[in-house]
Amino acid sequence: MYRFLGSIGFSVLAFCTTIGRITLFASGAISHIFRPPFYGRETLAQFMQIGFYSLPVVGLTALFTGAALALQIYSGGARFSAESVVPSIVAIGMVRELGPVLGGLMVAGRVSSSIAAELGTMRVTEQIDALVTLSTNPIKYLVAPRLLAATFAMPILVAVGDTIGILGGYLVGTGRLGFNSTNYLKNTIDFMEIGDVTSGLAKAAVFGFIIALMGCYHGYNSGRGAQGVGRATINAVVSASVMILAANYILTEVFF
Amino acid sequence: MISIKDVHKSFSNNNVLQGVNMEIAKGESMVIIGGSGTGKSVLLKCILGLENPDSGKITVGGKETNRGDRDVFLARFGMLFQNAALFDSLSVWQNVAFRLMRGPNKISKNDARDIAIEKLRRVGLKPEVSDKFPAELSGGMQKRVGLARAIAAEPEIIFFDEPTTGLDPIMSGVINELIREIVVEMGATALTITHDMSSVHSIADKVTMLHDGQVQWSGNIRELDNSGNPYLEQFINGHANGPIEAVR
Ligand SMILES: Nc1ncnc2c1ncn2[C@@H]1O[C@H](COP(=O)(O)OP(=O)(O)OP(=O)(O)O)[C@@H](O)[C@H]1O
Ligand SMILES: [Mg+2]
């Protein structure tokens, strides 16, 4: 009994410790974003790495999601002869929820893992120590540019993804479900509000921050050896994904 | 210049440093020898503040190492890591010029590149390697790039962690001479870890031997060969039998 309670207490404490560490790590990194020297070139390189090279993944995810969504809503709508809602629901579902969440999860898989592996390798091969001895703060040089780049890249990625997702719905709607092309587009635009778009993009920015933060935190604190880097990579992807889903719920409550 | 007083450091239950005392004077070349795994590299990291000692006091020029402005403190140091620790996302010359292109005294890219190529030449590397990436170099070449990076900004205190391991005898000779030159001409204070006895003789003013987490012997290079210390004699002559256990 004691051991059981003890183990619960131990896990709770470990959990709180981790939350505290991550908070300190994040606030330290954010403060470096606003203090010189600024590493513009590194930030731009990360922006390309995180944003531009994730376009194919996010685009394909959105395209197929939009297409499947159109089919599902059609079959659901047909039960109370409301097939005409397909365009607007595809658009709202994509922009408010599926674009940011699925895009976030896909980018978490791609980017959190690569950041964690890169920083973890740098930790293990003493490159982070070497940075320190060359009077360069590793948080400022490595972490701050990645956080900044991911926070700005995600909304752009998701905006592109939303558009492609709506296109996926449009292709299925006009090609398979017999919608008139003009009406489909008109319906899409008429029922969408500006708040739908901005709330989705705000979510995306938060997810981008989470993705980079988890990658950096786990990579920076990686254990020793190849095994340590492997574990850091797994932890980064899993924690980023879970945090994205949790944050999504909280943000949806806030924006609702 | 550097003063180490009763420094202890352990990793979980591995007591690596158990009360190390050491003094290094300005402009002096100190060499640390000792068996593999005795904590030589850990000691260097403690001085630089990369590891925090559990207890004890380390001062550089009278100031404690982990207080005050770290950037100013570290600007006085150069460090060659045991495994070179080159930045693999940057080319060779950018590695060497890393510090020159950053910080308050930064210089232009072209000047930095020229200095980097000059430093590479001093460690016996041709200008052709400067645009390669570290992963394209052999282990010994990486080590020498690390050395060039450590001396690029002409720091007043330089640490070399095994500068000649993995180098051929001729290159080792070149590097030994280079380290000696840096101490004599630039007046730098050098702290070198090595297992190579010919390096010890060509680099050192003073020698310290670490064993079992403590300084077993410390003295002038001239006293090295007739110290009468059984640990030191076993180490220098490479005998399997003696006070230092060699597990077989
Ligand atoms: N970050 C660390 N975590 C845990 N143990 C460590 C760490 N760094 C070093 N050690 C341990 O400290 C001991 C001394 O390591 P160190 O690298 O200083 O040895 P060394 O004297 O430099 O040996 P070598 O001559 O082989 O380089 C080793 O037993 C090593 O396992
Ligand atoms: Mg070592």
Side-chain angles (χ1 to χ4, degrees), chain A residues 112-183:
Chain A
S112 287
S113 56
S114 90
I115 293 181
E118 187 180 359
L119 265 59
T121 305
M122 292 187 75
R123 162 66 69 200
V124 168
T125 57
E126 298 181 318
Q127 291 178 50
I128 292 187
D129 287 340
L131 272 179
V132 174
T133 65
L134 294 167
S135 304
T136 301
N137 186 320
I139 299 277
K140 188 181 239 354
Y141 181 73
L142 296 172
V143 178
R146 284 170 172 76
L147 285 181
L148 197 62
T151 309
F152 282 97
M154 261 317 269
I156 299 175
L157 269 176
V158 165
V160 175
D162 287 348
T163 317
I164 296 178
I166 291 171
L167 172 74
Y170 167 84
L171 291 178
V172 169
T174 52
R176 296 255 293 106
L177 306 173
F179 279 89
N180 172 292
S181 162
T182 324
N183 281 344

